[in-house]
Amino acid sequence: MTTSSRRTVLTAALAAAAGSTGLAALPGTAHAAPAAPAGNPPAPTYTSHIYRNPQYTEGTDYGRRFRRHERSDPTFAAEVRLPGTAVLALHGGGIETGTSEVALGIAGYHPKDLAPTGAAGDPRYDYWLFEGLRGPGLNAELHVTSTGCDDLHALGLAEGSLGVVSVHGFANTQVPGYDVVLGGLDQDFKALVRQQLELLATTGPAPWNISIIDGSQVPALGGTDPDNPCNRTLRNKGVQLELSGALRNSLFDDPSSRTGRANTTNAKFRAFTGAVRAAIALHEASLTVD
């Protein structure tokens, strides 16, 4: 999404019930650490209202999934590069529908069963997903502004990677006429993503012209805050992909539910995620950071 909140993270009443008026402090941010409710032990430093508010149950209201791939450097002669790219979906499941599935596809996994896609030697990327598990129309209050994300797995992936692709969704009425708002602070990476997506007009399921607007023209969706997880990388910059509802729906034969989306990814889904994967490969090849 964006570094500027478009929806209330939680109401003041929920904040009071959690014993705080703000999100937990994050390294490098100005958020105040929450006070512990009277009679309770101090709250862990990195827990947010979503995770510690008893109104929400993990596995029922929301879920978190992640994958961090094994890397090792057991010999003196070997040179193992730093982790390249992590893929995030901060508002997946029923919050911004389709973003979980797109993130998994970009990471190299099928959303139906998490089986690796493509050839055996194709790259797989670390990923982290936060997903609303409630029924349709009941997930909006689970939307935590990107800069409020304090999950240690999510931040650990971002801060240990050379790049991030963070997948979000916007309503068609927010930016009429556009399919993608391309944000984040990594201008070179953004240019590669734009290039590969524009190639779909000639190489993808025809005819398929994806209209793209730069995040600098839509500041609310621009993803330029340094505390946005997409920019909390080893290089302090990354890419945020904001996708319209129409575009997300077009990637599935049945976009109406999590099960429907996971089981009906179509040719456009494969073309879109493949284009972003191609951009990641080009970006990683251009990096000289060891």
Side-chain angles (χ1 to χ4, degrees), residues 214-232:
D214 191 83
S216 61
Q217 297 177 262
V218 191
L221 305 180
T224 56
D225 193 311
D227 288 328
N228 186 317
C230 79
N231 297 317
R232 294 181 67 160

mmCIF file with all atom_site columns, all heavy atoms in Angstrom, residues 214-232:
data_model
loop_
_atom_site.group_PDB
_atom_site.id
_atom_site.type_symbol
_atom_site.label_atom_id
_atom_site.label_alt_id
_atom_site.label_comp_id
_atom_site.label_asym_id
_atom_site.label_entity_id
_atom_site.label_seq_id
_atom_site.pdbx_PDB_ins_code
_atom_site.Cartn_x
_atom_site.Cartn_y
_atom_site.Cartn_z
_atom_site.occupancy
_atom_site.B_iso_or_equiv
_atom_site.pdbx_formal_charge
_atom_site.auth_seq_id
_atom_site.auth_comp_id
_atom_site.auth_asym_id
_atom_site.auth_atom_id
_atom_site.pdbx_PDB_model_num
ATOM 1   N N   . ASP A 1 214 ? 3.812  6.272  -12.454 1.00 0.00 ? 214 ASP A N   1
ATOM 2   C CA  . ASP A 1 214 ? 4.849  6.281  -11.427 1.00 0.00 ? 214 ASP A CA  1
ATOM 3   C C   . ASP A 1 214 ? 4.287  6.783  -10.107 1.00 0.00 ? 214 ASP A C   1
ATOM 4   O O   . ASP A 1 214 ? 3.436  7.679  -10.071 1.00 0.00 ? 214 ASP A O   1
ATOM 5   C CB  . ASP A 1 214 ? 6.014  7.170  -11.859 1.00 0.00 ? 214 ASP A CB  1
ATOM 6   C CG  . ASP A 1 214 ? 7.219  7.010  -10.953 1.00 0.00 ? 214 ASP A CG  1
ATOM 7   O OD1 . ASP A 1 214 ? 8.006  6.071  -11.152 1.00 0.00 ? 214 ASP A OD1 1
ATOM 8   O OD2 . ASP A 1 214 ? 7.358  7.817  -10.004 1.00 0.00 ? 214 ASP A OD2 1
ATOM 9   N N   . GLY A 1 215 ? 4.773  6.193  -9.028  1.00 0.00 ? 215 GLY A N   1
ATOM 10  C CA  . GLY A 1 215 ? 4.299  6.575  -7.706  1.00 0.00 ? 215 GLY A CA  1
ATOM 11  C C   . GLY A 1 215 ? 4.522  8.028  -7.367  1.00 0.00 ? 215 GLY A C   1
ATOM 12  O O   . GLY A 1 215 ? 3.821  8.573  -6.503  1.00 0.00 ? 215 GLY A O   1
ATOM 13  N N   . SER A 1 216 ? 5.492  8.677  -8.012  1.00 0.00 ? 216 SER A N   1
ATOM 14  C CA  . SER A 1 216 ? 5.723  10.098 -7.746  1.00 0.00 ? 216 SER A CA  1
ATOM 15  C C   . SER A 1 216 ? 4.524  10.943 -8.146  1.00 0.00 ? 216 SER A C   1
ATOM 16  O O   . SER A 1 216 ? 4.341  12.059 -7.651  1.00 0.00 ? 216 SER A O   1
ATOM 17  C CB  . SER A 1 216 ? 6.961  10.581 -8.511  1.00 0.00 ? 216 SER A CB  1
ATOM 18  O OG  . SER A 1 216 ? 6.787  10.421 -9.917  1.00 0.00 ? 216 SER A OG  1
ATOM 19  N N   . GLN A 1 217 ? 3.685  10.421 -9.029  1.00 0.00 ? 217 GLN A N   1
ATOM 20  C CA  . GLN A 1 217 ? 2.488  11.136 -9.464  1.00 0.00 ? 217 GLN A CA  1
ATOM 21  C C   . GLN A 1 217 ? 1.272  10.806 -8.594  1.00 0.00 ? 217 GLN A C   1
ATOM 22  O O   . GLN A 1 217 ? 0.224  11.441 -8.739  1.00 0.00 ? 217 GLN A O   1
ATOM 23  C CB  . GLN A 1 217 ? 2.187  10.804 -10.924 1.00 0.00 ? 217 GLN A CB  1
ATOM 24  C CG  . GLN A 1 217 ? 3.277  11.260 -11.886 1.00 0.00 ? 217 GLN A CG  1
ATOM 25  C CD  . GLN A 1 217 ? 2.977  10.850 -13.306 1.00 0.00 ? 217 GLN A CD  1
ATOM 26  O OE1 . GLN A 1 217 ? 3.480  9.857  -13.808 1.00 0.00 ? 217 GLN A OE1 1
ATOM 27  N NE2 . GLN A 1 217 ? 2.113  11.631 -13.952 1.00 0.00 ? 217 GLN A NE2 1
ATOM 28  N N   . VAL A 1 218 ? 1.423  9.807  -7.728  1.00 0.00 ? 218 VAL A N   1
ATOM 29  C CA  . VAL A 1 218 ? 0.350  9.422  -6.808  1.00 0.00 ? 218 VAL A CA  1
ATOM 30  C C   . VAL A 1 218 ? 0.981  9.271  -5.424  1.00 0.00 ? 218 VAL A C   1
ATOM 31  O O   . VAL A 1 218 ? 1.202  8.161  -4.945  1.00 0.00 ? 218 VAL A O   1
ATOM 32  C CB  . VAL A 1 218 ? -0.329 8.098  -7.235  1.00 0.00 ? 218 VAL A CB  1
ATOM 33  C CG1 . VAL A 1 218 ? -1.599 7.859  -6.427  1.00 0.00 ? 218 VAL A CG1 1
ATOM 34  C CG2 . VAL A 1 218 ? -0.625 8.090  -8.716  1.00 0.00 ? 218 VAL A CG2 1
ATOM 35  N N   . PRO A 1 219 ? 1.314  10.385 -4.776  1.00 0.00 ? 219 PRO A N   1
ATOM 36  C CA  . PRO A 1 219 ? 2.088  10.319 -3.529  1.00 0.00 ? 219 PRO A CA  1
ATOM 37  C C   . PRO A 1 219 ? 1.480  9.413  -2.464  1.00 0.00 ? 219 PRO A C   1
ATOM 38  O O   . PRO A 1 219 ? 2.219  8.753  -1.720  1.00 0.00 ? 219 PRO A O   1
ATOM 39  C CB  . PRO A 1 219 ? 2.120  11.775 -3.067  1.00 0.00 ? 219 PRO A CB  1
ATOM 40  C CG  . PRO A 1 219 ? 1.972  12.578 -4.319  1.00 0.00 ? 219 PRO A CG  1
ATOM 41  C CD  . PRO A 1 219 ? 1.041  11.782 -5.181  1.00 0.00 ? 219 PRO A CD  1
ATOM 42  N N   . ALA A 1 220 ? 0.157  9.344  -2.382  1.00 0.00 ? 220 ALA A N   1
ATOM 43  C CA  . ALA A 1 220 ? -0.466 8.506  -1.359  1.00 0.00 ? 220 ALA A CA  1
ATOM 44  C C   . ALA A 1 220 ? -0.170 7.030  -1.547  1.00 0.00 ? 220 ALA A C   1
ATOM 45  O O   . ALA A 1 220 ? -0.256 6.242  -0.608  1.00 0.00 ? 220 ALA A O   1
ATOM 46  C CB  . ALA A 1 220 ? -1.975 8.725  -1.344  1.00 0.00 ? 220 ALA A CB  1
ATOM 47  N N   . LEU A 1 221 ? 0.194  6.647  -2.773  1.00 0.00 ? 221 LEU A N   1
ATOM 48  C CA  . LEU A 1 221 ? 0.510  5.255  -3.076  1.00 0.00 ? 221 LEU A CA  1
ATOM 49  C C   . LEU A 1 221 ? 1.965  5.084  -3.476  1.00 0.00 ? 221 LEU A C   1
ATOM 50  O O   . LEU A 1 221 ? 2.344  4.029  -4.003  1.00 0.00 ? 221 LEU A O   1
ATOM 51  C CB  . LEU A 1 221 ? -0.391 4.741  -4.211  1.00 0.00 ? 221 LEU A CB  1
ATOM 52  C CG  . LEU A 1 221 ? -1.905 4.863  -4.029  1.00 0.00 ? 221 LEU A CG  1
ATOM 53  C CD1 . LEU A 1 221 ? -2.618 4.303  -5.249  1.00 0.00 ? 221 LEU A CD1 1
ATOM 54  C CD2 . LEU A 1 221 ? -2.360 4.158  -2.769  1.00 0.00 ? 221 LEU A CD2 1
ATOM 55  N N   . GLY A 1 222 ? 2.785  6.096  -3.214  1.00 0.00 ? 222 GLY A N   1
ATOM 56  C CA  . GLY A 1 222 ? 4.137  6.124  -3.763  1.00 0.00 ? 222 GLY A CA  1
ATOM 57  C C   . GLY A 1 222 ? 5.151  5.236  -3.069  1.00 0.00 ? 222 GLY A C   1
ATOM 58  O O   . GLY A 1 222 ? 6.197  4.927  -3.639  1.00 0.00 ? 222 GLY A O   1
ATOM 59  N N   . GLY A 1 223 ? 4.911  4.838  -1.819  1.00 0.00 ? 223 GLY A N   1
ATOM 60  C CA  . GLY A 1 223 ? 5.842  3.956  -1.134  1.00 0.00 ? 223 GLY A CA  1
ATOM 61  C C   . GLY A 1 223 ? 7.227  4.528  -0.948  1.00 0.00 ? 223 GLY A C   1
ATOM 62  O O   . GLY A 1 223 ? 8.215  3.807  -1.059  1.00 0.00 ? 223 GLY A O   1
ATOM 63  N N   . THR A 1 224 ? 7.316  5.831  -0.634  1.00 0.00 ? 224 THR A N   1
ATOM 64  C CA  . THR A 1 224 ? 8.631  6.475  -0.561  1.00 0.00 ? 224 THR A CA  1
ATOM 65  C C   . THR A 1 224 ? 9.140  6.690  0.861   1.00 0.00 ? 224 THR A C   1
ATOM 66  O O   . THR A 1 224 ? 10.258 7.168  1.037   1.00 0.00 ? 224 THR A O   1
ATOM 67  C CB  . THR A 1 224 ? 8.589  7.837  -1.278  1.00 0.00 ? 224 THR A CB  1
ATOM 68  O OG1 . THR A 1 224 ? 7.558  8.649  -0.705  1.00 0.00 ? 224 THR A OG1 1
ATOM 69  C CG2 . THR A 1 224 ? 8.325  7.651  -2.767  1.00 0.00 ? 224 THR A CG2 1
ATOM 70  N N   . ASP A 1 225 ? 8.362  6.351  1.860   1.00 0.00 ? 225 ASP A N   1
ATOM 71  C CA  . ASP A 1 225 ? 8.833  6.511  3.236   1.00 0.00 ? 225 ASP A CA  1
ATOM 72  C C   . ASP A 1 225 ? 9.959  5.520  3.504   1.00 0.00 ? 225 ASP A C   1
ATOM 73  O O   . ASP A 1 225 ? 9.827  4.331  3.212   1.00 0.00 ? 225 ASP A O   1
ATOM 74  C CB  . ASP A 1 225 ? 7.680  6.263  4.210   1.00 0.00 ? 225 ASP A CB  1
ATOM 75  C CG  . ASP A 1 225 ? 8.012  6.704  5.625   1.00 0.00 ? 225 ASP A CG  1
ATOM 76  O OD1 . ASP A 1 225 ? 9.091  6.349  6.135   1.00 0.00 ? 225 ASP A OD1 1
ATOM 77  O OD2 . ASP A 1 225 ? 7.181  7.412  6.228   1.00 0.00 ? 225 ASP A OD2 1
ATOM 78  N N   . PRO A 1 226 ? 11.089 5.968  4.046   1.00 0.00 ? 226 PRO A N   1
ATOM 79  C CA  . PRO A 1 226 ? 12.187 5.040  4.343   1.00 0.00 ? 226 PRO A CA  1
ATOM 80  C C   . PRO A 1 226 ? 11.789 3.922  5.292   1.00 0.00 ? 226 PRO A C   1
ATOM 81  O O   . PRO A 1 226 ? 12.424 2.856  5.295   1.00 0.00 ? 226 PRO A O   1
ATOM 82  C CB  . PRO A 1 226 ? 13.256 5.943  4.970   1.00 0.00 ? 226 PRO A CB  1
ATOM 83  C CG  . PRO A 1 226 ? 12.962 7.306  4.443   1.00 0.00 ? 226 PRO A CG  1
ATOM 84  C CD  . PRO A 1 226 ? 11.464 7.370  4.328   1.00 0.00 ? 226 PRO A CD  1
ATOM 85  N N   . ASP A 1 227 ? 10.747 4.133  6.106   1.00 0.00 ? 227 ASP A N   1
ATOM 86  C CA  . ASP A 1 227 ? 10.299 3.109  7.039   1.00 0.00 ? 227 ASP A CA  1
ATOM 87  C C   . ASP A 1 227 ? 9.307  2.129  6.427   1.00 0.00 ? 227 ASP A C   1
ATOM 88  O O   . ASP A 1 227 ? 8.894  1.173  7.080   1.00 0.00 ? 227 ASP A O   1
ATOM 89  C CB  . ASP A 1 227 ? 9.680  3.760  8.282   1.00 0.00 ? 227 ASP A CB  1
ATOM 90  C CG  . ASP A 1 227 ? 10.727 4.400  9.172   1.00 0.00 ? 227 ASP A CG  1
ATOM 91  O OD1 . ASP A 1 227 ? 11.859 3.887  9.218   1.00 0.00 ? 227 ASP A OD1 1
ATOM 92  O OD2 . ASP A 1 227 ? 10.423 5.425  9.812   1.00 0.00 ? 227 ASP A OD2 1
ATOM 93  N N   . ASN A 1 228 ? 8.901  2.362  5.188   1.00 0.00 ? 228 ASN A N   1
ATOM 94  C CA  . ASN A 1 228 ? 8.106  1.377  4.472   1.00 0.00 ? 228 ASN A CA  1
ATOM 95  C C   . ASN A 1 228 ? 8.975  0.137  4.269   1.00 0.00 ? 228 ASN A C   1
ATOM 96  O O   . ASN A 1 228 ? 10.117 0.249  3.817   1.00 0.00 ? 228 ASN A O   1
ATOM 97  C CB  . ASN A 1 228 ? 7.678  1.945  3.120   1.00 0.00 ? 228 ASN A CB  1
ATOM 98  C CG  . ASN A 1 228 ? 6.730  1.052  2.363   1.00 0.00 ? 228 ASN A CG  1
ATOM 99  O OD1 . ASN A 1 228 ? 6.900  -0.161 2.291   1.00 0.00 ? 228 ASN A OD1 1
ATOM 100 N ND2 . ASN A 1 228 ? 5.721  1.654  1.755   1.00 0.00 ? 228 ASN A ND2 1
ATOM 101 N N   . PRO A 1 229 ? 8.487  -1.071 4.605   1.00 0.00 ? 229 PRO A N   1
ATOM 102 C CA  . PRO A 1 229 ? 9.320  -2.265 4.453   1.00 0.00 ? 229 PRO A CA  1
ATOM 103 C C   . PRO A 1 229 ? 9.925  -2.444 3.075   1.00 0.00 ? 229 PRO A C   1
ATOM 104 O O   . PRO A 1 229 ? 10.995 -3.044 2.945   1.00 0.00 ? 229 PRO A O   1
ATOM 105 C CB  . PRO A 1 229 ? 8.354  -3.405 4.790   1.00 0.00 ? 229 PRO A CB  1
ATOM 106 C CG  . PRO A 1 229 ? 7.408  -2.802 5.772   1.00 0.00 ? 229 PRO A CG  1
ATOM 107 C CD  . PRO A 1 229 ? 7.205  -1.379 5.281   1.00 0.00 ? 229 PRO A CD  1
ATOM 108 N N   . CYS A 1 230 ? 9.288  -1.912 2.032   1.00 0.00 ? 230 CYS A N   1
ATOM 109 C CA  . CYS A 1 230 ? 9.873  -2.075 0.701   1.00 0.00 ? 230 CYS A CA  1
ATOM 110 C C   . CYS A 1 230 ? 11.208 -1.356 0.586   1.00 0.00 ? 230 CYS A C   1
ATOM 111 O O   . CYS A 1 230 ? 12.045 -1.721 -0.254  1.00 0.00 ? 230 CYS A O   1
ATOM 112 C CB  . CYS A 1 230 ? 8.910  -1.596 -0.386  1.00 0.00 ? 230 CYS A CB  1
ATOM 113 S SG  . CYS A 1 230 ? 8.810  0.176  -0.669  1.00 0.00 ? 230 CYS A SG  1
ATOM 114 N N   . ASN A 1 231 ? 11.436 -0.346 1.438   1.00 0.00 ? 231 ASN A N   1
ATOM 115 C CA  . ASN A 1 231 ? 12.689 0.411  1.398   1.00 0.00 ? 231 ASN A CA  1
ATOM 116 C C   . ASN A 1 231 ? 13.643 0.057  2.528   1.00 0.00 ? 231 ASN A C   1
ATOM 117 O O   . ASN A 1 231 ? 14.741 0.623  2.603   1.00 0.00 ? 231 ASN A O   1
ATOM 118 C CB  . ASN A 1 231 ? 12.383 1.914  1.456   1.00 0.00 ? 231 ASN A CB  1
ATOM 119 C CG  . ASN A 1 231 ? 11.577 2.381  0.257   1.00 0.00 ? 231 ASN A CG  1
ATOM 120 O OD1 . ASN A 1 231 ? 11.843 1.990  -0.874  1.00 0.00 ? 231 ASN A OD1 1
ATOM 121 N ND2 . ASN A 1 231 ? 10.567 3.198  0.511   1.00 0.00 ? 231 ASN A ND2 1
ATOM 122 N N   . ARG A 1 232 ? 13.262 -0.851 3.395   1.00 0.00 ? 232 ARG A N   1
ATOM 123 C CA  . ARG A 1 232 ? 14.117 -1.198 4.525   1.00 0.00 ? 232 ARG A CA  1
ATOM 124 C C   . ARG A 1 232 ? 15.045 -2.355 4.160   1.00 0.00 ? 232 ARG A C   1
ATOM 125 O O   . ARG A 1 232 ? 15.138 -3.373 4.834   1.00 0.00 ? 232 ARG A O   1
ATOM 126 C CB  . ARG A 1 232 ? 13.261 -1.529 5.741   1.00 0.00 ? 232 ARG A CB  1
ATOM 127 C CG  . ARG A 1 232 ? 12.493 -0.320 6.257   1.00 0.00 ? 232 ARG A CG  1
ATOM 128 C CD  . ARG A 1 232 ? 11.661 -0.625 7.469   1.00 0.00 ? 232 ARG A CD  1
ATOM 129 N NE  . ARG A 1 232 ? 12.488 -0.947 8.626   1.00 0.00 ? 232 ARG A NE  1
ATOM 130 C CZ  . ARG A 1 232 ? 12.060 -0.890 9.884   1.00 0.00 ? 232 ARG A CZ  1
ATOM 131 N NH1 . ARG A 1 232 ? 10.814 -0.526 10.143  1.00 0.00 ? 232 ARG A NH1 1
ATOM 132 N NH2 . ARG A 1 232 ? 12.857 -1.203 10.878  1.00 0.00 ? 232 ARG A NH2 1
#
